[in-house]
Amino acid sequence: MFFYASKIIWFLTAPSTLLMAIVCFGALLLFTRFLKTGRILVALGALGFLVFGTSPVPRLMIRELERRFPPMTAEAASARPVDGIIVLGGALDYRRGQMRLTDAGARVSAALALAHQHPEARVVFTGGHDAILLRAPVSEAEMARGLFQSASLADDRVIYEGQSRNTRENAIFTAKLVTPQPGERWLLVTSAFHMPRAMGTFRAAGFDVEPYPVDFRADDSLDDIRPFRMVSEGLRLTDLTVREAMGLIAYRLNGYTDALLPSPTNGVTPAALNRAAAAPADRHP
Protein backbone atom coordinates (compact mmCIF):
# COMPACT_ATOMS: atom_id res chain seq x y z
CA MET A 1 0.00 0.00 0.00
CA PHE A 2 2.85 2.38 0.87
CA PHE A 3 4.41 1.85 -2.56
CA TYR A 4 1.26 2.79 -4.48
CA ALA A 5 0.43 5.73 -2.20
CA SER A 6 3.92 7.16 -2.58
CA LYS A 7 3.72 7.07 -6.39
CA ILE A 8 0.30 8.73 -6.49
CA ILE A 9 1.18 11.44 -3.97
CA TRP A 10 4.40 12.27 -5.80
CA PHE A 11 2.58 12.52 -9.13
CA LEU A 12 0.28 15.15 -7.62
CA THR A 13 2.88 17.12 -5.65
CA ALA A 14 5.97 17.33 -7.88
CA PRO A 15 7.11 20.99 -7.86
CA SER A 16 7.20 21.28 -11.66
CA THR A 17 3.64 19.90 -11.84
CA LEU A 18 2.38 22.28 -9.16
CA LEU A 19 3.97 25.30 -10.83
CA MET A 20 2.37 24.42 -14.14
CA ALA A 21 -1.00 23.91 -12.43
CA ILE A 22 -0.74 27.31 -10.72
CA VAL A 23 0.04 29.10 -13.98
CA CYS A 24 -2.72 27.31 -15.91
CA PHE A 25 -5.33 27.90 -13.21
CA GLY A 26 -4.31 31.54 -12.93
CA ALA A 27 -4.54 31.96 -16.70
CA LEU A 28 -8.07 30.59 -16.67
CA LEU A 29 -9.06 33.04 -13.95
CA LEU A 30 -7.92 35.94 -16.13
CA PHE A 31 -11.08 35.41 -18.19
CA THR A 32 -13.38 35.49 -15.17
CA ARG A 33 -14.37 38.02 -12.54
CA PHE A 34 -11.41 36.76 -10.45
CA LEU A 35 -8.97 38.66 -12.63
CA LYS A 36 -6.85 39.90 -9.73
CA THR A 37 -6.46 36.41 -8.26
CA GLY A 38 -5.52 35.09 -11.69
CA ARG A 39 -2.80 37.71 -12.07
CA ILE A 40 -1.38 36.81 -8.67
CA LEU A 41 -1.30 33.09 -9.48
CA VAL A 42 0.32 33.63 -12.87
CA ALA A 43 2.93 35.89 -11.28
CA LEU A 44 3.65 33.36 -8.53
CA GLY A 45 3.99 30.55 -11.06
CA ALA A 46 6.32 32.61 -13.23
CA LEU A 47 8.42 33.48 -10.18
CA GLY A 48 8.59 29.79 -9.28
CA PHE A 49 9.80 28.87 -12.76
CA LEU A 50 12.41 31.62 -12.53
CA VAL A 51 13.71 30.56 -9.10
CA PHE A 52 13.62 26.81 -9.54
CA GLY A 53 14.27 26.69 -13.26
CA THR A 54 17.14 29.12 -13.76
CA SER A 55 18.65 30.20 -10.42
CA PRO A 56 21.25 28.18 -8.44
CA VAL A 57 18.68 27.35 -5.74
CA PRO A 58 18.15 23.71 -6.89
CA ARG A 59 21.90 22.99 -6.76
CA LEU A 60 22.18 24.53 -3.30
CA MET A 61 19.23 22.43 -2.15
CA ILE A 62 20.56 19.09 -3.37
CA ARG A 63 24.06 19.94 -2.15
CA GLU A 64 22.83 19.74 1.43
CA LEU A 65 21.72 16.14 0.88
CA GLU A 66 24.94 15.22 -0.91
CA ARG A 67 27.12 16.65 1.86
CA ARG A 68 25.61 14.26 4.40
CA PHE A 69 27.88 11.39 3.37
CA PRO A 70 31.25 12.44 1.92
CA PRO A 71 32.80 10.64 -1.05
CA MET A 72 35.05 7.76 -0.06
CA THR A 73 38.64 8.22 -1.16
CA ALA A 74 40.37 5.53 -3.20
CA GLU A 75 42.78 5.01 -0.31
CA ALA A 76 39.97 4.44 2.15
CA ALA A 77 38.16 2.05 -0.18
CA SER A 78 41.26 -0.07 -0.79
CA ALA A 79 42.83 0.03 2.68
CA ARG A 80 40.91 -3.00 3.94
CA PRO A 81 39.44 -6.05 2.20
CA VAL A 82 35.88 -5.69 0.95
CA ASP A 83 33.52 -8.63 1.43
CA GLY A 84 30.66 -7.27 -0.62
CA ILE A 85 29.47 -4.47 -2.88
CA ILE A 86 25.79 -3.50 -3.06
CA VAL A 87 24.56 -1.33 -5.89
CA LEU A 88 21.03 0.05 -5.79
CA GLY A 89 18.82 0.10 -8.86
CA GLY A 90 17.67 3.23 -10.63
CA ALA A 91 20.58 3.28 -13.08
CA LEU A 92 19.10 1.22 -15.91
CA ASP A 93 16.07 1.56 -18.16
CA TYR A 94 14.56 -0.33 -21.09
CA ARG A 95 13.46 1.31 -24.34
CA ARG A 96 12.57 -0.23 -27.71
CA GLY A 97 14.16 -3.55 -26.82
CA GLN A 98 17.39 -2.00 -25.60
CA MET A 99 18.87 -1.34 -22.18
CA ARG A 100 20.10 2.17 -21.50
CA LEU A 101 21.80 3.99 -18.64
CA THR A 102 19.78 6.67 -16.83
CA ASP A 103 21.12 9.85 -15.20
CA ALA A 104 22.17 7.64 -12.29
CA GLY A 105 24.33 5.40 -14.48
CA ALA A 106 27.35 6.24 -12.30
CA ARG A 107 26.00 3.73 -9.78
CA VAL A 108 26.69 0.87 -12.19
CA SER A 109 30.03 2.15 -13.48
CA ALA A 110 31.29 2.72 -9.94
CA ALA A 111 30.13 -0.74 -8.83
CA LEU A 112 31.91 -2.37 -11.78
CA ALA A 113 35.11 -0.47 -10.99
CA LEU A 114 34.93 -1.55 -7.35
CA ALA A 115 34.26 -5.15 -8.35
CA HIS A 116 37.41 -5.24 -10.46
CA GLN A 117 39.44 -3.52 -7.74
CA HIS A 118 38.22 -6.06 -5.16
CA PRO A 119 38.03 -9.40 -7.01
CA GLU A 120 37.35 -11.23 -3.75
CA ALA A 121 34.17 -9.27 -3.04
CA ARG A 122 30.66 -10.48 -3.75
CA VAL A 123 28.42 -8.12 -5.71
CA VAL A 124 24.69 -7.55 -5.22
CA PHE A 125 22.56 -5.64 -7.70
CA THR A 126 19.16 -4.89 -6.19
CA GLY A 127 16.38 -3.46 -8.33
CA GLY A 128 13.11 -4.70 -9.78
CA HIS A 129 10.18 -2.72 -11.22
CA ASP A 130 9.20 0.64 -9.73
CA ALA A 131 6.26 1.46 -12.00
CA ILE A 132 2.63 1.01 -10.98
CA LEU A 133 1.10 0.07 -14.34
CA LEU A 134 3.60 0.30 -17.20
CA ARG A 135 6.57 -1.96 -16.63
CA ALA A 136 9.56 -2.95 -18.69
CA PRO A 137 9.37 -6.57 -19.90
CA VAL A 138 12.43 -7.33 -17.77
CA SER A 139 13.42 -6.24 -14.29
CA GLU A 140 16.34 -3.92 -13.73
CA ALA A 141 18.27 -6.79 -12.19
CA GLU A 142 17.89 -8.76 -15.41
CA MET A 143 19.20 -5.80 -17.39
CA ALA A 144 22.14 -5.54 -15.00
CA ARG A 145 22.95 -9.22 -15.53
CA GLY A 146 23.59 -8.64 -19.23
CA LEU A 147 25.65 -5.53 -18.53
CA PHE A 148 27.77 -7.19 -15.85
CA GLN A 149 28.36 -10.25 -18.01
CA SER A 150 29.57 -8.03 -20.85
CA ALA A 151 31.98 -6.44 -18.35
CA SER A 152 33.46 -9.91 -17.60
CA LEU A 153 31.96 -10.16 -14.14
CA ALA A 154 31.51 -13.86 -13.37
CA ASP A 155 27.96 -14.99 -12.56
CA ASP A 156 29.08 -16.82 -9.44
CA ARG A 157 30.19 -13.51 -7.91
CA VAL A 158 26.94 -11.62 -8.43
CA ILE A 159 23.54 -11.88 -6.77
CA TYR A 160 20.70 -10.30 -8.72
CA GLU A 161 17.73 -9.24 -6.61
CA GLY A 162 14.88 -8.34 -8.95
CA GLN A 163 11.79 -8.13 -6.72
CA SER A 164 12.35 -4.88 -4.83
CA ARG A 165 10.40 -1.77 -5.88
CA ASN A 166 11.85 0.84 -3.54
CA THR A 167 14.76 1.50 -1.19
CA ARG A 168 13.16 -0.19 1.79
CA GLU A 169 12.68 -3.41 -0.17
CA ASN A 170 16.23 -3.09 -1.50
CA ALA A 171 17.50 -3.25 2.06
CA ILE A 172 15.19 -5.97 3.36
CA PHE A 173 15.53 -8.33 0.39
CA THR A 174 19.30 -7.86 0.15
CA ALA A 175 19.77 -8.57 3.86
CA LYS A 176 17.81 -11.82 3.50
CA LEU A 177 19.78 -12.88 0.44
CA VAL A 178 23.32 -12.34 1.71
CA THR A 179 22.87 -12.81 5.49
CA PRO A 180 25.85 -10.57 6.36
CA GLN A 181 28.10 -11.78 9.17
CA PRO A 182 29.66 -9.68 11.95
CA GLY A 183 32.95 -8.17 10.85
CA GLU A 184 32.20 -8.26 7.14
CA ARG A 185 32.75 -5.10 5.17
CA TRP A 186 30.02 -4.19 2.68
CA LEU A 187 30.07 -1.06 0.50
CA LEU A 188 26.75 0.51 -0.47
CA VAL A 189 26.80 2.26 -3.87
CA THR A 190 24.07 4.74 -4.74
CA SER A 191 23.63 8.38 -5.74
CA ALA A 192 24.96 10.88 -3.21
CA PHE A 193 21.59 12.64 -2.78
CA HIS A 194 19.95 9.27 -2.08
CA MET A 195 22.62 8.00 0.33
CA PRO A 196 21.05 9.36 3.57
CA ARG A 197 17.77 7.49 2.98
CA ALA A 198 19.58 4.38 1.76
CA MET A 199 21.89 4.26 4.78
CA GLY A 200 19.03 4.84 7.20
CA THR A 201 17.02 2.06 5.57
CA PHE A 202 19.85 -0.48 5.62
CA ARG A 203 20.58 0.36 9.25
CA ALA A 204 16.93 -0.15 10.12
CA ALA A 205 17.12 -3.54 8.37
CA GLY A 206 20.06 -4.51 10.58
CA PHE A 207 22.58 -4.44 7.73
CA ASP A 208 25.82 -2.63 8.59
CA VAL A 209 27.15 -1.07 5.38
CA GLU A 210 29.67 1.63 4.46
CA PRO A 211 28.52 4.46 2.17
CA TYR A 212 30.12 4.80 -1.24
CA PRO A 213 28.24 7.77 -2.74
CA VAL A 214 28.49 8.50 -6.47
CA ASP A 215 26.54 10.48 -9.09
CA PHE A 216 27.00 13.89 -7.44
CA ARG A 217 24.71 16.54 -8.94
CA ALA A 218 26.43 19.52 -7.24
CA ASP A 219 30.13 20.38 -7.16
CA ASP A 220 30.16 21.78 -3.61
CA SER A 221 32.07 24.77 -4.98
CA LEU A 222 31.50 28.24 -6.40
CA ASP A 223 30.38 26.54 -9.61
CA ASP A 224 27.11 25.72 -7.84
CA ILE A 225 26.00 29.36 -8.00
CA ARG A 226 25.94 29.50 -11.80
CA PRO A 227 22.47 29.62 -13.39
CA PHE A 228 21.04 26.75 -15.41
CA ARG A 229 21.25 26.91 -19.20
CA MET A 230 17.76 25.44 -19.56
CA VAL A 231 14.72 25.79 -17.33
CA SER A 232 14.07 22.06 -17.61
CA GLU A 233 17.42 21.28 -15.96
CA GLY A 234 16.63 23.34 -12.89
CA LEU A 235 13.10 21.99 -12.59
CA ARG A 236 14.33 18.41 -12.91
CA LEU A 237 16.87 18.92 -10.13
CA THR A 238 14.23 20.60 -7.98
CA ASP A 239 11.85 17.68 -8.47
CA LEU A 240 14.63 15.25 -7.61
CA THR A 241 15.56 17.06 -4.40
CA VAL A 242 11.99 17.54 -3.18
CA ARG A 243 11.13 13.94 -3.96
CA GLU A 244 14.08 12.75 -1.88
CA ALA A 245 13.15 15.05 0.99
CA MET A 246 9.58 13.74 0.93
CA GLY A 247 10.95 10.20 0.86
CA LEU A 248 13.05 10.86 3.95
CA ILE A 249 10.03 12.20 5.83
CA ALA A 250 7.74 9.36 4.74
CA TYR A 251 10.31 6.68 5.58
CA ARG A 252 10.92 8.14 9.02
CA LEU A 253 7.21 8.46 9.82
CA ASN A 254 6.72 4.80 8.85
CA GLY A 255 9.76 3.65 10.83
CA TYR A 256 11.70 2.58 7.72
CA THR A 257 14.82 4.57 8.65
CA ASP A 258 16.70 5.12 11.89
CA ALA A 259 16.61 8.94 11.68
CA LEU A 260 14.89 11.75 9.78
CA LEU A 261 18.17 12.70 8.10
CA PRO A 262 20.66 9.87 8.67
CA SER A 263 24.31 10.86 8.94
CA PRO A 264 27.65 9.03 9.42
CA THR A 265 28.20 9.97 13.07
CA ASN A 266 27.52 13.24 14.85
CA GLY A 267 30.47 15.60 14.98
CA VAL A 268 32.68 13.59 12.64
CA THR A 269 34.15 15.43 9.65
CA PRO A 270 34.46 13.93 6.15
CA ALA A 271 38.26 13.86 6.49
CA ALA A 272 38.01 11.95 9.77
CA LEU A 273 35.61 9.45 8.22
CA ASN A 274 38.01 8.69 5.38
CA ARG A 275 40.92 8.38 7.80
CA ALA A 276 38.92 5.93 9.88
CA ALA A 277 37.96 3.89 6.82
CA ALA A 278 41.59 3.73 5.72
CA ALA A 279 42.89 2.70 9.12
CA PRO A 280 44.02 -0.93 9.46
CA ALA A 281 41.56 -3.21 11.23
CA ASP A 282 41.65 -6.75 12.55
CA ARG A 283 39.85 -9.20 10.32
CA HIS A 284 37.35 -11.50 11.93
CA PRO A 285 37.86 -15.18 11.23
Side-chain angles (χ1 to χ4, degrees):
M1 186 63 184
F2 176 85
F3 172 76
Y4 295 102
S6 66
K7 297 296 181 182
I8 294 171
I9 291 173
W10 173 245
F11 174 77
L12 298 174
T13 58
S16 59
T17 302
L18 289 177
L19 287 175
M20 181 59 70
I22 289 173
V23 170
C24 291
F25 185 59
L28 289 175
L29 292 181
L30 295 178
F31 300 95
T32 70
R33 61 189 180 90
F34 301 104
L35 178 62
K36 184 177 180 179
T37 301
R39 288 173 175 173
I40 293 174
L41 291 178
V42 170
L44 287 176
L47 179 62
F49 279 117
L50 180 66
V51 172
F52 297 109
T54 62
S55 81
V57 168
R59 286 197 190 92
L60 300 177
M61 289 167 54
I62 202 168
R63 188 168 71 175
E64 295 307 308
L65 286 175
E66 294 184 338
R67 281 176 168 177
R68 205 66 178 171
F69 288 86
M72 183 180 289
T73 64
E75 179 186 12
S78 303
R80 293 182 289 132
V82 174
D83 296 286
I85 301 161
I86 303 168
V87 54
L88 300 191
L92 303 174
D93 201 358
Y94 198 80
R95 290 289 184 273
R96 296 182 68 87
Q98 295 181 348
M99 183 273 295
R100 71 179 183 92
L101 293 175
T102 69
D103 291 345
R107 300 182 187 185
V108 171
S109 59
L112 285 172
L114 285 171
H116 287 296
Q117 292 166 10
H118 302 277
E120 76 288 350
R122 291 180 287 169
V123 179
V124 178
F125 184 94
T126 169
H129 298 280
D130 67 350
I132 297 179
L133 296 176
L134 299 178
R135 298 186 175 188
V138 295
S139 70
E140 197 173 352
E142 292 175 276
M143 289 184 261
R145 184 189 299 274
L147 181 62
F148 284 6
Q149 287 175 341
S150 67
S152 302
L153 208 60
D155 274 346
D156 58 1
R157 283 189 63 191
V158 189
I159 296 174
Y160 298 99
E161 187 285 299
Q163 300 301 313
S164 56
R165 300 170 299 176
N166 54 33
T167 308
R168 177 177 179 252
E169 293 181 356
N170 288 151
I172 293 174
F173 295 166
T174 300
K176 290 180 179 179
L177 281 174
V178 304
T179 57
Q181 301 301 308
E184 288 186 342
R185 186 188 186 201
W186 286 82
L187 301 183
L188 178 63
V189 181
T190 190
S191 300
F193 68 86
H194 183 57
M195 188 59 79
R197 182 154 55 113
M199 285 296 294
T201 306
F202 271 77
R203 287 170 179 168
F207 199 155
D208 185 20
V209 293
E210 291 183 29
Y212 193 92
V214 297
D215 180 34
F216 286 83
R217 306 300 174 97
D219 290 333
D220 203 10
S221 67
L222 291 177
D223 191 52
D224 287 342
I225 64 173
R226 61 182 173 86
F228 288 94
R229 290 174 295 181
M230 295 186 294
V231 174
S232 59
E233 292 180 3
L235 291 177
R236 183 176 179 83
L237 197 59
T238 299
D239 284 348
L240 189 67
T241 306
V242 173
R243 179 180 183 181
E244 193 59 32
M246 291 175 62
L248 282 165
I249 294 172
Y251 270 44
R252 183 53 184 163
L253 290 176
N254 285 276
Y256 297 161
T257 59
D258 64 340
L260 178 60
L261 189 56
S263 60
T265 49
N266 291 331
V268 179
T269 64
L273 284 169
N274 279 315
R275 285 197 300 271
D282 294 334
R283 295 289 292 167
H284 290 256

